[in-house]
Amino acid sequence: MSCDTTHPEAPVRLVVESYAEPNSLLPVVRLRQTLPLKEAYLSDGMTAAGGATVRVGADTSWYDYMMESAGVYTPGADHTVAPRTELRLEASWQGQQVSATTRVPPVVALESADVTVGDHPVSGLILDSLFIDPSQIDTIRFDSLRTGASEGYVYLVEVTMRWQVDFAEEGPDSEYWVRTQLRPDIDGRTKLDDYFLRPEQLLREASIARDPMGWRIWTGVYAVPVEAANSPLPAHRLRAALMRGTQAYAQFVSGSGNPRHREPLTNIAGGLGIFAGVSVDSISVRVE
């Protein structure tokens, strides 16, 4: 999504969304159109870009796409995309021409997700969806500023993910980025996002440390709120996920939540959106 108050009557632009995974069929391509700020958004059908001409190139061949439903285009032939394949996208719609290229990353495979839970809950300040470690703030009392912060207790859960990197074909993996995510499923409880915590990060993969066995290793922390200092940890499920992508994907993700940008950064020439190769793996564990 984006918002541009400086040009509220900007012309309609084509928006692309497509993700290609290694060892999978050619990706689905979703095409949408932008809407003016003053126009009410009532349904997805309002933004679907129907009747477009779409094709994707892989290796030395091109594959024509057909519209399966409003704005959703699928390949007319089965073709499995190998890791490290370069893909090329071309689409035309109502006089607009867009194009993009991406490289499909090697398969990412999580080896383990080790969970460590604190023996006792720790106290801190809870403000909206933030848990604030008192050691990270100055001596000004939050309640004196009428911020609505309240004192609370949380268990800190530390998760260490490990995955292997294959250097056999291309050497160091400096061109790839990884996005780490910790997603606890806690019924009836507020999700506390990161302040000094790290439930999600976006990092260049080559910058991540390796253990003595050669595994990439990343450690994150999330908080589980409880009512009192003697409350037990609520049992819950945790999904630890890892996504590997190109630099274009990393820029798109980081720009999506950056208030300095009116819209996410794009790798689409002539349009908006993202066309990216990604590889995803996750592990689900029960924490108690």
Side-chain angles (χ1 to χ4, degrees):
M1 297 180 65
S2 69
C3 180
D4 191 347
T5 57
T6 60
H7 300 90
E9 302 300 328
V12 171
R13 300 185 68 186
L14 191 60
V15 184
V16 178
E17 183 183 17
S18 183
Y19 300 100
E21 297 191 47
N23 299 328
S24 298
L25 296 178
L26 287 167
V28 173
V29 176
R30 291 177 172 83
L31 298 181
R32 300 181 178 90
Q33 57 180 303
T34 58
L35 295 177
L37 279 174
K38 63 182 180 182
E39 186 168 345
Y41 179 81
L42 302 177
S43 68
D44 289 343
M46 292 180 62
T47 60
T53 300
V54 180
R55 67 174 188 164
V56 170
D59 300 320
T60 59
S61 301
W62 284 92
Y63 298 87
D64 293 328
Y65 275 52
M66 302 175 295
M67 192 171 74
E68 184 178 88
S69 59
V72 178
Y73 297 82
T74 56
D78 291 341
H79 176 76
T80 300
V81 180
R84 300 181 174 88
T85 298
E86 183 179 88
L87 297 180
R88 305 172 300 282
L89 168 71
E90 292 183 355
S92 60
W93 176 77
Q94 295 188 2
Q96 297 188 47
Q97 309 287 330
V98 299
S99 62
T101 61
T102 190
R103 184 172 295 278
V104 180
V107 174
V108 65
L110 278 172
E111 170 65 18
S112 63
D114 300 326
V115 178
T116 303
V117 182
D119 294 332
H120 306 285
V122 298
S123 62
L125 296 175
I126 295 178
L127 175 62
D128 295 329
S129 61
L130 297 177
F131 176 78
I132 304 171
D133 182 356
S135 67
Q136 304 295 315
I137 60 176
D138 56 26
T139 57
I140 299 176
R141 291 187 57 82
F142 268 53
D143 54 1
S144 68
L145 299 178
R146 299 185 182 276
T147 60
S150 61
E151 201 169 355
Y153 296 89
V154 301
Y155 278 92
L156 297 180
V157 183
E158 184 179 276
V159 183
T160 298
M161 295 194 291
R162 292 180 175 84
W163 67 97
Q164 186 60 278
V165 178
D166 181 12
F167 297 102
E169 293 187 29
E170 283 194 325
D173 55 344
S174 59
E175 67 176 298
Y176 298 111
W177 290 69
V178 291
R179 183 184 186 184
T180 58
Q181 290 182 327
L182 302 178
R183 293 294 175 89
D185 184 5
I186 307 172
D187 293 337
R189 295 179 181 270
T190 302
K191 176 182 177 292
L192 299 179
D193 291 326
D194 55 326
Y195 187 80
F196 72 101
L197 309 179
R198 295 188 304 168
E200 179 173 328
Q201 282 191 300
L202 183 65
L203 303 164
R204 185 179 290 276
E205 189 167 12
S207 69
I208 300 174
R210 289 189 286 169
D211 68 10
M213 299 297 294
W215 300 97
R216 292 289 186 203
I217 183 170
W218 174 87
T219 299
V221 180
Y222 68 93
V224 180
V226 293
E227 294 181 358
N230 58 354
S231 297
L233 173 73
H236 61 278
R237 293 209 68 81
L238 165 71
R239 180 177 179 268
L242 181 69
M243 179 179 289
R244 174 184 285 154
T246 61
Q247 184 176 7
Y249 171 76
Q251 291 175 330
F252 178 79
V253 171
S254 62
S256 298
N258 192 329
R260 292 180 300 174
H261 300 294
R262 292 195 297 265
E263 61 198 24
L265 298 175
T266 182
N267 68 335
I268 307 297
L272 301 171
I274 184 70
F275 176 62
V278 297
S279 180
V280 185
D281 195 18
S282 64
I283 294 177
S284 180
V285 297
R286 183 168 175 80
V287 181
E288 52 188 7

